[in-house]
């Protein structure tokens, strides 16, 4: 069958590669894709946040039997609803379910109502009330813009002054636009973090292998928050006891809660968790594959991804046995100088002789006059598997030294954190 994949980042390159391996998939279209995705898919230049335009394109391309929607904004805008209403098959949550990521106020309320462990919080729609609360709340405190803010709407404030300035930026100066009209103010938690992604059709939920992201731009988790500078899988501290706790206290209750709210979730549900002294707590939900988590998860998937997608749409995920490779996988992001703030584009990218078992997922790349050039902040994901995280780590760093573009920078410590924490 022919498949359309919505999105243009490293995550989508990993999804497209996994679908390319599927015997069920003939041709892949990518909207909008990037220079790496172009090697296995035909790129379609339509704005995927214009849900009507995407619907029209799919209507007009009768050979497309299935659409995979990966990014958060078209999900929140109801692209899956639009496609389904026109009689097309599409993978991803509908608008009512995608709210679990699109509104932090919604997700916090859901967790409170159904007893799912998370940080204590208050939600404010008035700046004055929020500022008053900040006068006496515990410090550090965490501020979260309610809506989608490209992963940048979270402020960890170590002082009361910082918190008040942050609240003002979000609510009065509208730094994140309407996403900051409501702000969640929550308790600061401490502990190692793990991304637990799961496939779900609303009846069954099947976890993927775990992974750990690195959100800050610089080594030792310093610098600004980014979309993610690297990942590794699995989380070294996450054993069977953790898996059982997360399934029983978080994953199953979340699936049931969404059903009880009349918002059954079908797609990939991403649980950003922190292992605190009081057990695992939800830091965030995402309604989709993570980026760059997907780049270390899908290379380890033995089962046909297209088979899983179809089973979810048909609500028969229970029948599919999902198998994973053992060992580890690491993804190192090569970024443009200046990212996540201002950076230049259009720098030529060159590769030396890379080892065969290193995979490059493109994120911000384009072709210009026949040359491969940078076109975004996160440019490439260098990915390798190994018997251990350390073995995979050595391979990606050896490969990174052979890749060049002006201004390129990357973290030197991907794959190191948490290695001394005992497994449970
Ligand atoms: P988010 O965009 O919700 O993933 O938040 C970005 C990062 O902020 C998370 O990965 C955590 O490292 C941190 N964070 C979010 N909420 C809290 C919290 N309540 N306590 C401590 N750190 C937090
Ligand atoms: N890596 C975090 C995210 O995809 O939101």
């Amino acid at each position: 069958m022919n498949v359309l994949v919505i999105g243009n980042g490293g995550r989508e390159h990993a999804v497209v590669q996994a679908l390319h391996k599927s015997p069920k998939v003939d041709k892949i279209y990518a909207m909008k894709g990037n220079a790496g995705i172009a090697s296995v898919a035909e790129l379609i230049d339509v704005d995927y946040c214009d849900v009507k335009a995407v619907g029209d394109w799919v209507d007009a391309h009768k050979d497309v039997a299935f659409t995979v929607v990966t990014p958060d904004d078209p999900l929140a805008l109801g692209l899956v609803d639009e496609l389904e209403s026109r009689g097309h098959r599409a993978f991803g949550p509908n608008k009512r379910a995608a709210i679990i990521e699109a509104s932090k106020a919604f997700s916090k309320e859901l967790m409170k109502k159904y007893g799912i462990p998370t940080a204590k919080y208050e939600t404010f729609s008035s700046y004055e009330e929020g500022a008053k609360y900040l006068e006496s709340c515990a410090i550090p405190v965490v501020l979260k813009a309610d809506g989608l803010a490209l992963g940048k709407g979270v402020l960890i404030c170590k002082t009361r002054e910082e918190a008040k300035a942050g609240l003002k930026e979000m609510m009065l100066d509208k730094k994140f636009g309407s996403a900051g009209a409501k702000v969640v103010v929550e308790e600061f938690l401490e502990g190692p973090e793990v991304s637990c992604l799961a496939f779900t059709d609303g009846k069954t939920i099947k976890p993927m292998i775990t992974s750990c992201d690195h959100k800050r731009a610089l080594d030792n988790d310093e610098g600004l928050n980014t979309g993610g500078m690297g990942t590794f899988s699995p989380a070294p501290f996450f054993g069977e006891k953790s898996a059982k706790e997360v399934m029983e206290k978080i994953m199953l209750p979340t699936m049931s809660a969404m059903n009880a709210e009349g918002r059954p979730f079908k797609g990939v549900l991403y649980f950003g968790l922190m292992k605190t002294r009081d057990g695992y707590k939800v830091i965030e939900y995402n309604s989709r594959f993570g980026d760059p988590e997907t780049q270390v998860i899908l290379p380890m998937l033995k089962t046909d991804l297209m088979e899983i997608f179809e089973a979810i749409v048909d609500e028969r995920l229970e029948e599919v046995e999902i198998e994973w490779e053992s060992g580890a996988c690491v993804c190192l992001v090569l970024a443009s100088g200046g990212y996540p703030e201002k950076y230049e584009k259009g720098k030529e990218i060159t590769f030396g002789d890379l080892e065969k078992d290193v995979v490059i997922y493109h994120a911000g790349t384009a072709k210009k006059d026949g040359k491969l050039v940078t076109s975004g902040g996160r440019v490439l994901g260098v990915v390798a598997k190994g018997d251990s995280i350390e073995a995979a780590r050595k391979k990606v760093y050896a490969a990174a030294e052979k890749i060049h573009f002006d201004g390129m920078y990357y973290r030197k410590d991907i794959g190191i954190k948490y290695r001394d924490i005992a497994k449970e």
Side-chain angles (χ1 to χ4, degrees), residues 104 142 144 154 156 186-189 193 215 283-284:
K104 295 217 190 267
V142 182
K144 297 187 172 182
V154 174
I156 314 262
E186 73 175 33
E187 167 197 21
F188 174 76
L189 298 175
E193 287 184 64
K215 291 208 161 94
I283 292 288
E284 64 163 347

Side-chain angles (χ1 to χ4, degrees), residues 243-258:
K244 187 167 183 287
E245 177 184 331
V246 168
M247 178 51 75
E248 287 174 1
K249 299 212 166 120
I250 296 175
M251 289 190 174
L252 286 170
T254 302
M255 184 178 76
S256 305
M258 290 298 276

Side-chain angles (χ1 to χ4, degrees), residues 11 101 213 215 227-228 270 284 286 288-293:
R11 165 184 58 198
E101 170 171 8
D213 192 5
K215 291 208 161 94
Y270 167 133
E284 64 163 347
N286 289 327
R288 52 172 173 85
F289 278 113
D291 189 337
E293 284 90 343

Side-chain angles (χ1 to χ4, degrees), residues 220-385:
N220 302 317
D221 289 334
E222 284 170 15
L224 296 170
N225 251 323
T226 70
M229 294 298 289
T231 35
F232 59 84
S233 172
F237 56 86
F238 198 93
E240 275 175 30
K241 187 165 174 275
S242 295
K244 187 167 183 287
E245 177 184 331
V246 168
M247 178 51 75
E248 287 174 1
K249 299 212 166 120
I250 296 175
M251 289 190 174
L252 286 170
T254 302
M255 184 178 76
S256 305
M258 290 298 276
N259 285 333
E261 293 294 306
R263 298 175 184 271
F265 189 101
K266 288 166 72 171
V268 170
L269 192 46
Y270 167 133
F271 301 83
L273 306 179
M274 193 177 272
K275 186 175 188 227
T276 72
R277 267 177 303 175
D278 307 322
Y280 282 91
K281 293 195 178 177
V282 178
I283 292 288
E284 64 163 347
Y285 289 116
N286 289 327
S287 59
R288 52 172 173 85
F289 278 113
D291 189 337
E293 284 90 343
T294 308
Q295 291 90 312
V296 290
I297 293 174
L298 291 184
M300 306 294 276
L301 177 66
K302 287 206 245 174
T303 312
D304 180 345
L305 183 61
M306 193 63 222
E307 188 186 337
I308 300 174
F309 284 167
E310 286 199 283
I312 290 173
V313 170
D314 299 340
E315 296 178 20
R316 48 177 182 77
L317 180 62
E318 192 189 21
E319 294 168 12
V320 183
E321 198 189 332
I322 301 180
E323 291 184 280
W324 301 96
E325 287 181 27
S326 57
C329 192
V330 172
C331 171
L332 172 68
V333 170
L334 308 183
S336 299
Y339 173 76
E341 294 189 296
K342 250 179 81 175
Y343 56 85
E344 289 178 16
K345 296 182 187 175
K347 306 290 181 195
E348 186 178 356
I349 306 168
T350 55
F351 297 91
D353 236 354
L354 300 184
E355 298 294 329
K356 280 202 180 56
D357 58 352
V358 170
V359 174
I360 306 291
Y361 290 128
H362 290 225
T365 68
K367 274 272 167 71
K368 197 172 147 200
D369 306 329
K371 287 181 182 162
L372 183 68
V373 298
T374 64
S375 68
R378 292 187 296 170
V379 178
L380 299 169
V382 183
V383 175
K385 294 190 268 193

